[in-house]
């Protein structure tokens, strides 16, 4: 049996979505207008043995170009990621001609009960007793048929007594406490940094206050995310905390990348100014962070049912990669300049210590970016849905370690070891640089 090209392309699109972690799981309102896609992913949720899906579909309008559509081939179903691959194989070999007819999916409702093709409403409550991670999908197996509708979906788990609803996915229900504990860690870190700045106030640079601002913004960002997840857990809605989360996430992202650039250029430590090429890096990084945050808001608020969702997802990933690469250039420039200065200004030991410091920082920045971007998503992909919170903990621990390392290495010092060098150390450093040059040759 031949495969419809549109259905094939859309199915491949959803298979690609399976590799991208989705962090929804709240009461979601989806507006679908004149959509011809045969498969539309709507939401994802990890159910316990007492899971429930409430689905309300209103303002249904179905337009078929050629003949009356078969409404039993239009509806909603649940499917796990693993089983969807087998459903796709069934469609490919012609074993079934519609995903709703597969014995591997859990049919929630179809439009067969509709009396009219315009203005109909359907409500359904579906109890899920098989604990697993499910994706809610809409199927329209009538070729050339356009569907418009408003969908309200609410997926949640019930407690042991069946009285309390938990709107967070089974693997993310502990996230409010996780984010709150990490926010406390950053507030404590900010307090310690204030103490250090006060104690070493005679040797404090402007960048040390900028570092304090970054830590405070990170703490506020985590606090808002904790409240955001807490309200979603109890009510299914963020009640405005998501707005504060996006604001502080935006400010934290810009200030963190700016801080990495400033430290990488040696601003305030080695020189009180930025060169033109370093200013251009900031002029690139800041607008890209604005675009990344806009993309993040669109991704979180629309969900995969939007036809432009995947495009925004690609924009976010591309912009994030570009930002991460851009902030590495100033560190490379500083390392290059320090190597050249070590050979010409007669202060080999001082420049060697600075060079060692910036090399360490370069390696740590790369490790931080790699772990929080690549390893984090890998952990979300391979970790069981029950333990998805562990990937968040791992990412936040890596971020906390990066903040602590940066603060420790670039803290204000009354007697800076990078500048207090005696003659013997100077000669040893010069010899070390000479040997290093010979090794590279």
């Amino acid at each position: 049996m031949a495969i419809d090209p549109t259905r094939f392309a859309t199915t491949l699109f959803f298979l690609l979505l399976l590799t991208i972690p989705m962090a929804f799981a709240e009461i979601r309102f989806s507006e679908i207008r004149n959509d011809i896609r045969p498969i539309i992913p709507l939401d994802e949720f990890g159910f316990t043995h007492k899971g429930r899906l409430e689905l309300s579909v209103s303002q249904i309008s179905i337009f078929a170009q050629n003949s009356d559509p078969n409404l039993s081939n239009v509806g909603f179903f649940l499917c796990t990621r693993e089983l969807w691959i087998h459903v796709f194989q069934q469609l490919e070999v012609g074993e079934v001609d519609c995903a709703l007819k597969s014995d591997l999916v859990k049919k929630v409702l179809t439009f067969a009960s509709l009396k009219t093709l315009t203005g109909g409403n359907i409500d359904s409550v579906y109890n899920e007793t098989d604990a697993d991670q499910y994706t809610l999908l809409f199927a329209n197996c009538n070729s050339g048929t356009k569907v418009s509708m408003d969908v309200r979906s609410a997926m949640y788990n019930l407690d042991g007594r069946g009285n309390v609803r938990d709107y967070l996915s089974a693997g993310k229900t502990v996230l409010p406490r996780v984010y709150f504990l990490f926010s406390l860690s950053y507030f404590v870190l900010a307090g310690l940094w204030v103490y250090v700045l006060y104690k070493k106030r005679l040797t404090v640079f402007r960048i040390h206050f900028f570092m304090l601002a970054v830590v405070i913004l990170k703490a506020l960002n985590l606090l808002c995310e904790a409240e955001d997840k807490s309200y979603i857990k109890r009510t299914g809605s963020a009640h405005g905390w998501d707005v504060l989360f996006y604001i502080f996430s935006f400010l934290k992202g810009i200030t963190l990348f700016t801080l990495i650039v400033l430290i990488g250029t040696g601003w305030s430590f080695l020189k009180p100014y930025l060169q033109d090429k370093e200013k251009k890096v900031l002029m690139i990084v800041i607008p890209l962070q604005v675009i990344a945050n806009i993309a993040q808001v669109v991704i979180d608020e629309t969900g995969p049912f939007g036809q432009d969702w995947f495009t925004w997802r690609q924009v976010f990933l591309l912009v994030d990669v570009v930002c991460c690469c851009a902030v590495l250039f100033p560190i490379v420039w500083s390392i290059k300049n320090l190597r050249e200065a070590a050979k010409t200004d007669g202060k080999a030991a001082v420049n060697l210590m600075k060079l060692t410091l910036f090399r360490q920082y370069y390696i740590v920045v790369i490790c931080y970016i790699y772990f929080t971007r690549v390893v984090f998503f890998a952990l979300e992909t391979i970790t069981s849905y029950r333990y998805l919170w562990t990937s968040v903990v791992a990412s936040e621990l890596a971020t906390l370690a990066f903040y602590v390392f940066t603060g420790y290495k670039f803290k204000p010092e009354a007697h800076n070891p990078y500048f207090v060098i005696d003659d013997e150390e100077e000669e040893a450093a010069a010899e070390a640089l000479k040997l290093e040059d010979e090794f590279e040759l």
Side-chain angles (χ1 to χ4, degrees), residues 65 151 221 231-232 244 282 302 319 341 354 372 393 398 405 424 439:
Q65 295 179 347
V151 182
N221 174 237
Y231 269 89
I232 291 176
L244 288 175
L282 285 176
T302 60
V319 168
K354 294 177 186 176
T372 55
V393 171
F405 174 87
E424 292 183 1
F439 177 77

Side-chain angles (χ1 to χ4, degrees), residues 303-346:
F305 72 88
Q307 297 192 36
D308 296 329
W309 183 87
F310 189 67
T311 301
W312 279 106
R313 183 74 192 189
Q314 288 178 311
V315 169
F316 172 76
L317 294 175
L318 176 62
V319 168
D320 195 46
V321 169
V322 173
C323 282
C324 292
C325 293
V327 297
L328 294 175
F329 285 112
I331 309 177
V332 174
W333 296 334
S334 292
I335 292 174
K336 180 181 178 182
N337 293 335
L338 286 169
R339 279 198 55 79
E340 293 175 352
K343 301 174 183 177
T344 58
D345 67 0

Side-chain angles (χ1 to χ4, degrees), residues 164-182:
V164 180
R165 299 181 178 185
D166 185 349
Y167 287 92
L168 284 182
S169 183
K172 299 185 177 182
T173 187
V174 300
L175 284 184
R177 282 176 285 176
V178 170
Y179 286 126
F180 180 72
L181 289 176
F182 274 106

Side-chain angles (χ1 to χ4, degrees), residues 393-422:
V393 171
S395 177
E396 291 299 335
L397 283 174
T399 303
L400 182 61
F402 175 72
Y403 277 63
V404 171
F405 174 87
T406 303
Y408 177 76
K409 285 294 184 180
F410 296 95
K411 63 183 180 296
E413 287 287 352
H415 301 286
N416 197 317
Y418 302 108
F419 297 97
V420 183
I421 306 292
D422 57 28

Side-chain angles (χ1 to χ4, degrees), residues 82 91 94 110 117 126 141 174-175 191 205 220 224 250 272 275 289 295 323 366 370:
E82 294 79 8
L91 293 169
T110 67
L117 297 182
Y126 183 87
C141 300
V174 300
L175 284 184
F205 291 101
L220 292 173
C224 291
F250 168 69
Q275 297 177 356
Q289 278 295 297
C323 282
I366 289 179
Y370 180 79

Side-chain angles (χ1 to χ4, degrees), residues 58-315:
S58 60
Q59 303 299 316
I60 301 173
S61 178
I62 302 175
F63 175 75
Q65 295 179 347
N66 301 322
S67 59
D68 291 336
N70 182 358
L71 296 183
S72 63
N73 285 343
V74 183
F76 297 84
F77 65 94
L78 292 170
C79 186
T80 64
R81 292 186 177 190
E82 294 79 8
L83 289 180
W84 177 254
I85 298 175
H86 299 292
V87 174
F88 173 69
Q89 291 174 345
Q90 289 179 332
L91 293 169
E92 190 176 31
V93 301
E95 185 176 336
V96 295
D97 59 358
C98 181
L100 285 167
K101 296 180 181 179
S102 172
D103 56 352
L104 301 177
V105 306
K106 298 194 174 186
K107 190 185 301 182
V108 178
L109 66 86
T110 67
F111 288 1
S113 59
L114 284 177
K115 305 299 182 182
T116 176
L117 297 182
T118 305
N121 301 307
I122 300 178
D123 296 318
S124 174
V125 177
Y126 183 87
N127 292 314
E128 181 56 69
T129 57
D130 296 328
D132 209 332
Q133 183 91 350
Y134 291 90
T135 302
L136 174 64
L137 302 106
F138 172 77
N140 174 18
C141 300
N142 298 306
S143 180
T145 301
K146 296 181 179 179
V147 176
S148 298
M149 58 184 170
D150 294 336
V151 182
R152 178 190 180 276
S153 61
M155 291 190 279
Y156 54 87
N157 294 309
L158 298 171
D159 66 352
R161 298 181 180 179
N163 299 323
V164 180
R165 299 181 178 185
D166 185 349
Y167 287 92
L168 284 182
S169 183
K172 299 185 177 182
T173 187
V174 300
L175 284 184
R177 282 176 285 176
V178 170
Y179 286 126
F180 180 72
L181 289 176
F182 274 106
S183 70
L184 288 181
S185 300
Y186 281 98
F187 279 120
V188 171
L189 196 62
L192 291 174
W193 192 245
V194 170
Y195 172 75
V196 171
L197 296 185
Y198 176 77
K199 188 176 179 180
K200 307 286 186 178
R201 55 188 179 277
L202 297 179
T203 55
V204 169
F205 291 101
R206 288 174 292 172
I207 200 168
H208 292 123
F209 294 104
F210 195 86
M211 294 165 71
L212 175 62
V214 172
V215 174
I216 293 175
L217 287 172
K218 175 65 175 177
L220 292 173
N221 174 237
L222 287 171
L223 181 62
C224 291
E225 190 159 13
E227 290 298 324
D228 176 52
K229 292 295 187 289
S230 179
Y231 269 89
I232 291 176
K233 177 182 174 72
R234 299 195 305 270
T235 67
S237 175
H239 293 280
W241 280 102
D242 53 341
V243 177
L244 288 175
F245 163 71
Y246 290 133
I247 291 174
F248 285 114
S249 181
F250 168 69
L251 295 175
K252 181 265 300 179
I254 286 182
T255 55
L256 177 59
F257 277 98
T258 302
L259 176 65
I260 294 174
V261 171
L262 293 177
I263 291 178
T265 61
W267 177 80
S268 189
F269 288 106
L270 307 179
K271 57 187 179 183
Y273 59 89
L274 295 175
Q275 297 177 356
D276 288 339
K277 61 181 180 181
E278 294 160 352
K279 292 178 181 178
K280 289 178 181 178
V281 172
L282 285 176
M283 291 175 64
I284 293 173
V285 168
I286 293 176
L288 286 179
Q289 278 295 297
V290 174
I291 297 173
N293 279 271
I294 293 174
Q296 187 64 62
V297 172
V298 174
I299 292 168
D300 290 345
E301 296 301 317
T302 60
F305 72 88
Q307 297 192 36
D308 296 329
W309 183 87
F310 189 67
T311 301
W312 279 106
R313 183 74 192 189
Q314 288 178 311
V315 169

